Amino acid sequence: MKLLIDADFIVYKNCAATENELDFGNDVIVVTSNFSDAYTATTRELTRIKNKFGSFSDVILFFSDSKNFRKEILPEYKGHRNRKKPCGYKRVINALREEYKVIIKPTLEADDSMGIYATKYPGNCIVSPDKDMRQIPGQLYNFDEVFTVSKEEGAKWHLIQTCSGDQTDGYSGIPGIGVKRAEALFEEHGYSWKTVLKAFADKGLTEEDALTNARLARILTTDDYDFKKREPILWTPATGYRIDVGTGSKVKSTA
């Protein structure tokens, strides 16, 4: 088993924590950082993760690319997160390359790269606090517990996030519907694309709105990536798309 770690989150957090501001007066403020402190904090956290598992074959660190394919779908995606990376961010990543395998795929976020790897090579464990990773079948350690996500549960979570949206990422879903209301909606009417469309329509939204949110919410799997072109395959629901409870399967319906 390999540990697939969302190191983007870890490095960003530790580099930001070691930043300092020097005020020279006359409207001049310089941001500085201590590389050794940032790198030490990062490696210490990675060691804690490895000690948590004890037995594993390898560790792979995943980072987001500077370009993001979701901005082609919605230019406002993560628009409120335009802050530059903290001081030392790239230097810490380059230093980590000396000790670990690092994966950064063009236009993809770390979440997507982990999702693709985990579904192409099953049997590994994703390490990430991001709730989005509940879409990916397999083992997940969210920094609180290790649990297994089934294909059915992952597919359900994608539809839930399509409806509830994610304000931190900048896509709204259906106004007035959060995770709990979305879960109740699907439990009553079934986990299907038909249920999604009706919920959007009830709020005066279109099928295009629903599809945009579904594509933004979708964490890529090996089926959502063109390895030859090295680009995402945007998610499109099959005709009659639904999730059969208890089977873990997605079904095409001609009805």
Side-chain angles (χ1 to χ4, degrees):
M1 178 187 74
K2 297 179 182 178
L3 302 182
L4 315 180
I5 301 179
D6 179 2
D8 212 4
F9 159 77
I10 294 172
V11 173
Y12 190 104
K13 177 185 67 174
N14 288 316
C15 286
T18 56
E19 281 188 337
N20 293 290
E21 290 186 355
L22 298 178
D23 190 343
F24 288 93
N26 297 320
D27 296 329
V28 178
I29 298 176
V30 176
V31 178
T32 65
S33 177
N34 186 297
F35 166 76
S36 296
D37 288 346
Y39 185 74
T40 298
T42 297
T43 55
R44 185 186 301 121
E45 191 159 351
L46 292 174
T47 297
R48 281 200 298 268
I49 293 170
K50 291 187 288 186
N51 290 342
K52 163 74 178 180
F53 286 87
S55 178
F56 53 87
S57 62
D58 200 3
V59 173
I60 304 178
L61 308 184
F62 292 81
F63 294 92
S64 299
D65 188 38
S66 57
K67 294 183 179 180
N68 192 325
F69 79 92
R70 288 182 177 83
K71 288 188 176 292
E72 297 296 321
I73 302 172
L74 183 71
E76 296 81 15
Y77 180 76
K78 288 190 175 179
H80 60 295
R81 294 194 190 182
N82 285 332
R83 181 188 184 277
K84 71 173 184 65
K85 298 295 187 183
C87 288
Y89 177 82
K90 290 184 178 179
R91 184 177 175 186
V92 170
I93 294 175
N94 288 334
L96 289 170
R97 290 180 188 271
E98 300 297 318
E99 186 176 353
Y100 297 96
K101 180 178 181 179
V102 169
I103 291 181
I104 305 174
K105 285 186 173 292
T107 77
L108 302 190
E109 297 181 56
D111 292 355
D112 299 304
S113 294
M114 287 190 293
I116 292 169
Y117 193 100
T119 50
K120 186 176 183 180
Y121 306 107
N124 299 304
C125 182
I126 290 175
V127 178
S128 172
D130 196 330
K131 65 183 185 302
D132 294 349
M133 301 315 297
R134 288 174 58 184
Q135 293 184 34
I136 303 301
Q139 277 197 309
L140 173 63
Y141 173 48
N142 64 0
F143 288 82
D144 289 321
E145 59 179 336
V146 178
F147 56 95
T148 300
V149 178
S150 70
K151 287 184 178 180
E152 177 188 298
E153 290 168 337
K156 284 182 175 182
W157 188 248
H158 173 231
L159 293 187
I160 290 169
Q161 288 195 293
T162 296
C163 291
S164 63
D166 190 331
Q167 297 301 323
T168 61
D169 284 344
Y171 65 96
S172 59
I174 302 172
I177 293 186
V179 169
K180 293 298 183 183
R181 287 193 64 184
E183 287 177 329
L185 182 73
F186 286 117
E187 289 299 326
E188 181 179 357
H189 299 287
Y191 282 84
S192 70
W193 187 242
K194 180 179 179 180
T195 302
V196 172
L197 292 181
K198 185 178 185 306
F200 271 80
D202 287 346
K203 292 291 186 177
L205 300 172
T206 66
E207 182 175 356
E208 183 178 354
D209 294 324
L211 187 57
T212 294
N213 277 272
R215 287 174 170 174
L216 293 172
R218 178 77 169 183
I219 301 302
L220 302 185
T221 69
T222 187
D223 294 328
D224 304 309
Y225 191 70
D226 188 323
F227 288 89
K228 290 185 178 180
K229 295 182 179 179
R230 301 184 72 193
E231 64 184 25
I233 300 170
L234 298 183
W235 187 81
T236 301
T239 301
Y241 177 88
R242 69 180 185 273
I243 302 161
D244 284 351
V245 177
T247 67
S249 62
K250 304 171 191 178
V251 183
K252 294 181 181 180
S253 173
T254 56

